[in-house]
Amino acid sequence: MNNIAPSHIAIIMDGNGRWAKERNLKRTAGHSAGAEVIREITTHCSYIGVKYLTLYAFSTENWKRPKLEVEFLMKLLEKYLKQELPIFIENNIKLRTIGDTSRFSKSLQKVIKQTEEKTKNGTKLTQVLALNYGSKDEIVRAVKRLNEKKLEVNEENIEANLDTSGMPNVDILIRTSGEVRLSNYLLWQNAYAEMFFTSTYWPDFNKNELDDIISDFNNRERRFGGI
Ligand code: FPP
């Protein structure tokens, strides 16, 4: 593949529930299968030179789901982080989170913190998990920070105080499962993103489909408002 790797890919991993339903499985089985795909996509992104991979793992709206499903997702996240830690270290991958994790259990917050701390020197790729994340919530938080720091409200200062501070804007936004919405995801950072919507459910998404999207991206002309 002679493509130029994008710096930042963001993904809305949708369709876990429908994937499971089609197989007469519980919705939670879809989430477990989805967690496996994260590893394949992360490894591949790191291999082809992507620097940031931001994944929508839990939105501020996901608390509305049945209690048991929310609990399952929390446990899955904790298990995932513990399981991935050696793989992150081995592959020089750094974990970072965006969103307000203060609503999570103390034990989950601790695992998140430890994983971030133990992978902080990773330079190959940063996997960014959006956890209890909502873009509007993030922008409000950023503006509050500006007030606290008595900084002028301008684009540069807002950008520097978003949870994604220091990260490049999104080059490619992917949403799986056929839904064509942004769902309060990285509204600021997606300002000039090229968007790709695939009908594939997240548990069926794979590196070949990602490569096709990146090829397509390389054929698009990005003008950033110019001509
Ligand atoms: C949407 O599928 C997916 C989510 C609620 C979040 C994504 C979660 C995972 C991929 C698994 C866990 C993540 C980590 C980091 C361990 P959906 O349930 O909305 O599917 P549906 O629209 O078909 O019901």
Side-chain angles (χ1 to χ4, degrees):
M1 196 175 68
N2 291 322
N3 286 321
I4 298 167
S7 299
H8 187 177
I9 297 180
I11 309 183
I12 302 177
M13 308 177 288
D14 200 3
N16 296 346
R18 279 163 285 166
W19 179 91
K21 203 172 164 208
E22 278 185 6
R23 288 161 179 75
N24 287 320
L25 298 169
K26 287 190 196 155
R27 291 179 52 79
T28 49
H31 296 316
S32 297
E36 293 296 320
V37 175
I38 293 179
R39 180 185 290 166
E40 176 185 342
I41 296 303
T42 302
T43 312
H44 189 59
C45 281
S46 144
Y47 174 70
I48 62 178
V50 173
K51 299 310 285 181
Y52 291 89
L53 175 65
T54 304
L55 303 165
Y56 212 175
F58 195 87
S59 78
T60 45
E61 284 73 35
N62 285 154
W63 297 106
K64 293 184 212 145
R65 294 188 173 213
K67 192 166 168 265
L68 281 178
E69 185 170 338
V70 171
E71 279 172 11
F72 182 89
L73 282 166
M74 295 297 137
K75 283 208 190 95
L76 182 63
L77 179 61
E78 193 163 332
K79 186 174 135 200
Y80 165 83
L81 290 172
K82 287 181 179 161
Q83 210 170 288
E84 294 309 292
L85 178 63
I87 297 160
F88 285 154
I89 294 173
E90 191 187 320
N91 293 294
N92 201 8
I93 293 170
K94 174 177 177 165
L95 177 91
R96 174 170 172 174
T97 63
I98 55 171
D100 176 11
T101 50
S102 67
R103 202 173 153 185
F104 290 171
S105 71
K106 289 277 169 286
S107 76
L108 179 53
Q109 288 185 49
K110 198 171 152 198
V111 176
I112 293 170
K113 247 203 158 112
Q114 281 172 346
T115 315
E116 284 177 323
E117 177 59 31
K118 288 182 178 156
T119 61
K120 69 175 186 217
N121 296 323
T123 54
K124 186 96 177 74
L125 171 135
T126 301
Q127 183 190 92
V128 185
L129 291 183
L131 298 174
N132 191 23
Y133 176 86
S135 195
K136 290 184 176 183
D137 193 43
E138 179 195 28
I139 292 170
V140 170
R141 245 192 331 273
V143 175
K144 280 186 181 160
R145 285 183 193 130
L146 295 191
N147 278 338
E148 280 161 21
K149 297 181 194 168
K150 300 198 173 11
L151 285 170
E152 188 191 333
V153 179
N154 59 33
E155 285 192 17
E156 196 187 334
N157 286 341
I158 291 178
E159 196 147 295
N161 283 276
L162 290 169
D163 297 351
T164 51
S165 166
M167 286 168 52
N169 279 320
V170 177
D171 297 303
I172 294 182
L173 180 275
I174 301 168
R175 183 171 190 148
T176 57
S177 93
E179 307 294 341
V180 187
R181 285 190 294 280
L182 271 183
S183 298
N184 202 14
Y185 191 46
L186 302 169
L187 301 180
W188 182 286
Q189 300 86 341
N190 274 317
Y192 287 102
E194 293 292 328
M195 302 198 179
F196 294 84
F197 298 92
T198 165
S199 57
T200 305
Y201 293 145
W202 175 249
D204 285 331
F205 192 75
N206 59 34
K207 61 181 183 181
N208 296 333
E209 189 164 358
L210 179 62
D211 280 344
D212 288 345
I213 288 173
I214 294 173
S215 295
D216 198 344
F217 167 81
N218 271 271
N219 290 327
R220 290 192 188 182
E221 194 190 345
R222 298 177 88 196
R223 292 193 294 271
F224 298 97
I227 52 168

